[in-house]
C-alpha cells in the first residue's frame, strides 16, 4: 500500500498537471479568439475596399444620341465625330469595370490553423457569394457591351468621315463592319438590310433614293419592337425610330451593369 507521502506527491503532481493543462487551454482559446477577430477584421477591410473599387461606373452613356448611325451614309448624312468619342469613352469605362471585377481579389480565407466553425465562417461565405454574384450578374450585360463596343465606334467613325467625296468608301467600311458583327443581337435583320444597302451605294448599284426606300421597308419589316408604327414611305421617320430603339437597348445594357454593381456594393 502506497505511503502517505507517496500519495501526497502524486496528488501534487496531478494538480500541477491540471493547472498547466488549464493554462495552456486558456492560452490556446485566447490565441484562437485573437486570430478569429483578426480574420474578421480582414474581411471587413476587404468589404470596404471592394465597395470602393467595384462601385457602379458613373456617367456611362452608350447611346450616340439621336443621330442616325445604323444605316448607310446618305447624301449629307455624316454623323458628328464627337459621338464616336463619347461612345468610345463610355465603352472604355464599362470594359475597364468588367476587368476590375474579373481581377478583384477574393475575400481573405481563414488562417490554416484556425479551423472556424460554420457560424464563424458566415461572413467569409457571404463575401464570397457577393463577389460570385457580381461576376455572374455581369456576364450577360458585359458580353453585350463588348459586342456593341466592338462595332458601334467603327460605324460612327465611318459615318463621321463619310462626306459626299468618300461616301462610297464609308459605306464599304460600314458593310464590312456589320458583316463581321451586328452590335446587338436584336438588330440582326436591320444590320442585314444596312449591309445590302451600303454595298449597293458603294458599288453604284441603283438610284440612292430607291436604295433608301428598300432599306426603310426592310427595317420596318424586321418586326423590331418600336418600329411597327414607322412609315416605310418616310425613311427619315424610320431612321429616327431606329435611333430611339437602339438608344433604348444601349441604355438598357448599361443600366443592367449599374444595377448589378449597385446590388453588390449594397451588400454591406
Amino acid at each position: 500500500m502506497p505511503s502517505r507521502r507517496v500519495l501526497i506527491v502524486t496528488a501534487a503532481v496531478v494538480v500541477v498537471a491540471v493547472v498547466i493543462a488549464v493554462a495552456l487551454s486558456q492560452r490556446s482559446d485566447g490565441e484562437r479568439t485573437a486570430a478569429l477577430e483578426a480574420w474578421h477584421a480582414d474581411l471587413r477591410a476587404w468589404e470596404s475596399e471592394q465597395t470602393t473599387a467595384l462601385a457602379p461606373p458613373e456617367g456611362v452613356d452608350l447611346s450616340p444620341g439621336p443621330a442616325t448611325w445604323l444605316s448607310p451614309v446618305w447624301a449629307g448624312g455624316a454623323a458628328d465625330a464627337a459621338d464616336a468619342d463619347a461612345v468610345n469613352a463610355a465603352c472604355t469605362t464599362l470594359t475597364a469595370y468588367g476587368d476590375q471585377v474579373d481581377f478583384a481579389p477574393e475575400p481573405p480565407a481563414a488562417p490554416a490553423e484556425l479551423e472556424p466553425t460554420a457560424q464563424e465562417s458566415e461572413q467569409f461565405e457571404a463575401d464570397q457569394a457577393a463577389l460570385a454574384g457580381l461576376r455572374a450578374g455581369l456576364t450577360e450585360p458585359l458580353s453585350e457591351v463588348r459586342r456593341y463596343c466592338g462595332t458601334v465606334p467603327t460605324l460612327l467613325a465611318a459615318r463621321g468621315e463619310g462626306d459626299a467625296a468618300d461616301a462610297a468608301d464609308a459605306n464599304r467600311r460600314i458593310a464590312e463592319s456589320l458583316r463581321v458583327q451586328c452590335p446587338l443581337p436584336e438588330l440582326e435583320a436591320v444590320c442585314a438590310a444596312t449591309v445590302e444597302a451600303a454595298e449597293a451605294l458603294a458599288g453604284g448599284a441603283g438610284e440612292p433614293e430607291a436604295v433608301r426606300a428598300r432599306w426603310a421597308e426592310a427595317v420596318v419589316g424586321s418586326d423590331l419592337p418600336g418600329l411597327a408604327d414607322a412609315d416605310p414611305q418616310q425613311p427619315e421617320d424610320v431612321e429616327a425610330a431606329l435611333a430611339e430603339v437602339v438608344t433604348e437597348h444601349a441604355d438598357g445594357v448599361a443600366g443592367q451593369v449599374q444595377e448589378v454593381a449597385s446590388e453588390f456594393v449594397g451588400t454591406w
Side-chain angles (χ1 to χ4, degrees), residues 7-189:
L7 291 174
I8 292 174
V9 171
T10 301
V13 170
V14 171
V15 170
V16 171
V18 170
V19 169
I20 292 173
V22 170
L24 290 174
S25 175
Q26 290 175 340
R27 179 181 176 185
S28 177
D29 288 345
E31 290 175 346
R32 187 181 189 284
T33 299
L36 183 63
E37 290 176 350
W39 177 43
H40 285 175
D42 288 343
L43 289 172
R44 289 191 296 273
W46 179 90
E47 293 165 2
S48 177
E49 290 166 1
Q50 299 315 308
T51 296
T52 300
L54 303 181
E58 298 180 357
V60 177
D61 184 3
L62 287 175
S63 169
T68 301
W69 54 271
L70 193 59
S71 67
V73 174
W74 318 115
D80 186 347
D83 290 340
D85 293 338
V87 173
N88 268 320
C91 286
T92 298
T93 297
L94 286 178
T95 52
Y97 179 74
D99 291 340
Q100 276 185 285
V101 172
D102 288 341
F103 293 105
E106 296 290 332
E113 69 278 6
L114 186 58
E115 297 184 2
T117 65
Q119 184 175 3
E120 292 167 345
S121 296
E122 285 180 358
Q123 182 182 356
F124 171 71
E125 292 174 356
D127 289 347
Q128 271 191 321
L131 183 58
L134 174 65
R135 287 170 172 161
L138 290 176
T139 298
E140 185 174 342
L142 282 180
S143 175
E144 290 198 32
V145 165
R146 292 185 176 101
R147 173 173 177 162
Y148 181 91
C149 292
T151 306
V152 173
T154 302
L155 296 176
L156 292 174
R159 291 182 61 80
E161 299 166 4
D163 57 21
D166 59 4
D169 182 60
N171 279 318
R172 275 191 289 271
R173 290 170 59 191
I174 289 171
E176 289 170 0
S177 179
L178 290 178
R179 279 195 179 281
V180 172
Q181 181 171 258
C182 187
L184 291 170
E186 297 88 350
L187 301 175
E188 290 289 356

Side-chain angles (χ1 to χ4, degrees), residues 188-267:
E188 290 289 356
V190 173
C191 288
T194 300
V195 167
E196 182 178 349
E199 289 180 337
L201 292 171
E207 291 295 324
E209 287 303 315
V211 172
R212 192 175 189 182
R214 288 197 302 272
W215 175 85
E217 186 173 354
V219 169
V220 173
S222 67
D223 295 326
L224 191 66
L227 292 177
D229 296 333
D231 183 359
Q233 302 302 316
Q234 302 293 329
E236 296 87 352
D237 294 344
V238 173
E239 291 170 10
L242 178 59
E244 290 183 10
V245 168
V246 175
T247 294
E248 181 180 346
H249 280 272
D251 289 346
V253 172
Q256 288 179 50
V257 174
Q258 293 270 355
E259 182 179 345
V260 175
S262 296
E263 184 177 342
F264 171 76
V265 299
T267 304

